[in-house]
Each structure stands twice: as C-alpha cells, then as structure tokens.
Amino acid sequence: MPKISVCIPTCNRSQLLHYAVESALGQTETDVEIIVCDDGSTDNTPDLMATLIANHPDRTIRYIRHPQNIGKSNNMRSGFEAATGDYFIKFDDDDRLTPTFLAETGAILDQHPNIDLVGTDHWIIDINNVRDTAATDANSQKWGRAHLPGGVIQNLVEVTFIDQSLQIGATLFRRRVLQEVNYMRPNIQNCEDNDLLVRLAIAGKQAYYLPKRLMEYRVHAGQQGIDRATRYLKDKLTYLENFKFETEPLERVRQMRLRETQLLLGLRLIETGETQQGRQFALAGQSASRGKAWVGLSLSLLPLGLRKQAFQRLRQIK
C-alpha cells in the first residue's frame, strides 16, 4: 500500500496534463501512486498516458478511462474510490505540485495524528508555466492566506466558508477522513471543492495551514466563458443551499451570497435568452442589488440580439 495517493482528474487537456503528471512523478516523496481519471476525453489523452506509463515502469501510474463523460465530481469520485494510500490529494490537470509538496505536507500528518488535512498557499502560473508574483500575492491576499497564521486552524468553518482560504488542490488529506464524509457529492460540476471543505469543517475535522507556496495554480483562457459562468452559478446555488448555519454571522453571509448568486444567475439567463427563468432568479436575488436587478429586468424586454449587445456594452463600462 502506498503512503500517498495522487489523483489527477482530466478531460481533453493532454497539452497540459503531462505537466501535472510529471509534477507528481518529480516529488521528493516517492512512496506514491498516481491515478489519472479521464472523463471521456476525445483528444490524445489515452496515447499520452500510455507513453507516460511506458516511460516510468518503476512507478505506479494508474489510468482510469471513462468512455463517456460522467461529470466532473463523478470522475473525481472514481479516482478517489481507486485510491489505496493513507493520504490523498486531488489536483487538476492544468495545475502542478512543487517537488517538495508531498514530503512537507505528509511530514505534518506523520507528526500530528490529530490533524486531518494540511493546506498550503500556492503560486499563480500562466499557460507557459511562468509564475506571476503580483497575481500570486493578490490571490493570497484575496482569499485570506496572506494573514492566515501557520499551524492548526482554530476557526475552520469561517476559514473554509467565509474566507475560502484553503484550495483543495493544495491540500493533503487523510484518506479515511474523506471516506467518513463520503468525499465529494456526486453530479456536481462546480463548487464541489468548497462543498467538501465546508462539510469537513462542520464535521469537526482538524486542519493545519502550512504558509508556503507549494502548488502552482494555472490561470488560462480555457477557464473562461459565459456558458461556463452559467453552469458555475447554478452549481454555486446548489452548494449554498446545502448548508444552514446555526450561528447568525455565518448564516447572514450565506444568505447574502445566495441572493448575490441568484441575481447574477438571473442576469446571465436573461442575457442568453432563458428569459422567464432569468426573471425569476433576478427577482429572488434583487435584495443584493436592486439597481442591477432593475436593469436586467428592463433589458429582458428587448429582442435577444439587442439584449446581448446591451449586456456587452454594460460589461465594457465596468
């Protein structure tokens, strides 16, 4: 049984996947199994994986290929279910681990049996693997890691839900702890990572923050697009509706984010022509910004072509 299972879910990113796999192969900690779960890729991912496996006969690389797309969280669950290591990490096919990630985070789990997960900070890199220091600093500041003390995290629910400081691809877990909460919920395309971290916090699990940039998160054009934004907002609504906090400050934040998400989803749907449903969401979330809701509802009266142009112009003004 390996010490650590590294899961890399993928779909049609063979041009970036090899960087992710090679970063796992390049770890100073070598007691590792690498599991690549493929959500029905139609590019040359199978050929790439065959080459990587052939070139590293001394390493455990397992390739799980789904002939058809089964959905993001379902694909991740298939990789998790195949894992056998004491520790587990999942990171995306367009990201990379720095060489000492597993050794440094694994050492903390080795030394502290009461700790269930270890999160780190991470770099922002571009499509050419170049680190962007300014964007990295801004990202660490935005998500509260710049001021998060190293060591045991005392207020994990707030850190995972309000600040969203932990990035699941930069976090090593005890696999049994993930089994206890049934890992990620099935049939979710987005926010599945946030959902898992919040559920772990609510379950009373203990987390440790290692304030080092030991992972590289890639920002690139393939992550953008209005269609993706619509799917993301729908899944974010599901994520926010999964919880109801007993403490008033947490519940107030949840309700505020729920209304903001409803409004944004309503505006997106109005823009793309799903007018009736868009109006319903915009009205439900109007308390987040009555001005934006009024503009969106007004634009919903225009023909679709003019409506899209108006939304584009408004976006340019911002």
Side-chain angles (χ1 to χ4, degrees):
M1 180 186 299
K3 178 178 180 179
I4 302 175
S5 297
V6 176
C7 177
I8 307 174
T10 191
C11 184
N12 289 330
R13 278 187 177 155
S14 60
Q15 77 280 12
L16 295 174
L17 174 63
H18 67 99
Y19 292 123
V21 176
E22 286 165 3
S23 79
L25 289 167
Q27 292 294 298
T28 57
E29 169 62 69
T30 58
D31 190 4
V32 175
E33 67 174 356
I34 300 169
I35 303 167
V36 176
C37 43
D38 182 357
D39 197 13
S41 290
T42 56
D43 62 4
N44 67 329
T45 293
D47 295 335
L48 170 66
M49 289 308 305
T51 299
L52 286 169
I53 292 170
N55 288 345
H56 299 277
D58 57 329
R59 302 298 299 273
T60 302
I61 306 175
R62 300 162 66 188
Y63 178 48
I64 301 171
R65 174 169 170 76
H66 302 288
Q68 295 179 330
N69 189 281
I70 62 172
K72 187 177 177 182
S73 64
N74 295 333
N75 186 41
M76 293 177 186
R77 285 173 64 90
S78 73
F80 178 71
E81 289 164 1
T84 61
D86 292 330
Y87 305 154
F88 179 87
I89 181 174
K90 184 280 300 182
F91 70 100
D92 291 340
D93 54 2
D94 51 352
D95 299 332
R96 304 194 302 185
L97 301 178
T98 64
T100 63
F101 179 94
L102 296 180
E104 294 196 54
T105 55
I108 293 171
L109 292 180
D110 290 343
Q111 295 162 13
H112 301 280
N114 60 315
I115 297 299
D116 301 306
L117 56 139
V118 180
T120 77
D121 201 353
H122 58 268
W123 290 95
I124 299 295
I125 62 173
D126 65 14
I127 194 66
N128 298 311
N129 302 317
V130 177
R131 290 177 176 177
D132 187 330
T133 301
T136 297
D137 290 343
N139 185 268
S140 298
Q141 186 73 34
K142 176 181 178 181
W143 300 110
R145 290 186 298 274
H147 305 292
L148 184 62
V152 178
I153 299 174
Q154 300 299 325
N155 52 340
L156 189 57
V157 177
E158 289 83 353
V159 167
T160 55
F161 181 73
I162 295 180
D163 299 329
Q164 300 178 54
S165 299
L166 298 185
Q167 210 269 39
I168 206 164
T171 303
L172 185 67
F173 301 85
R174 294 189 191 277
R175 186 166 62 89
R176 62 169 175 77
V177 170
L178 296 175
Q179 290 173 321
E180 289 171 7
V181 298
N182 197 25
Y183 193 46
M184 293 183 180
R185 298 184 198 265
N187 304 317
I188 302 177
Q189 290 289 95
N190 303 280
C191 295
E192 72 290 335
D193 292 0
N194 303 68
D195 179 84
L196 173 60
L197 288 167
V198 174
R199 285 190 288 116
L200 286 166
I202 291 173
K205 305 308 178 184
Q206 298 297 304
Y208 188 105
Y209 178 61
L210 180 60
K212 292 186 177 182
R213 291 170 178 171
L214 297 180
M215 178 262 202
E216 294 178 326
Y217 177 84
R218 192 185 307 275
V219 175
H220 58 100
Q223 299 165 319
Q224 311 303 318
I226 190 168
D227 292 337
R228 182 184 182 279
T230 301
R231 294 195 301 271
Y232 169 79
L233 290 168
K234 287 181 177 179
D235 284 338
K236 186 174 181 179
L237 272 185
T238 300
Y239 155 64
L240 291 168
E241 290 169 347
N242 280 335
F243 305 103
K244 186 172 182 180
F245 298 107
E246 295 181 0
T247 60
E248 193 274 335
L250 278 169
E251 182 59 16
R252 186 172 63 248
V253 172
R254 187 187 75 88
Q255 289 289 340
M256 177 188 68
R257 290 180 179 172
L258 186 65
R259 301 296 170 245
E260 289 173 345
T261 305
Q262 289 172 326
L263 176 56
L264 289 173
L265 177 57
L267 296 176
R268 286 278 191 264
L269 293 174
I270 288 170
E271 181 178 1
T272 56
E274 297 181 61
T275 308
Q276 190 57 39
Q277 190 178 29
R279 288 171 178 165
Q280 292 173 355
F281 278 118
L283 287 169
Q286 63 179 315
S287 61
S289 174
R290 296 190 184 281
K292 287 183 179 179
W294 181 86
V295 170
L297 292 169
S298 298
L299 293 180
S300 73
L301 301 174
L302 295 175
L304 185 58
L306 292 176
R307 189 188 310 175
K308 289 183 176 181
Q309 293 177 18
F311 271 104
Q312 290 171 359
R313 289 173 183 169
L314 285 174
R315 205 170 286 122
Q316 290 170 357
I317 293 173
K318 295 178 182 180

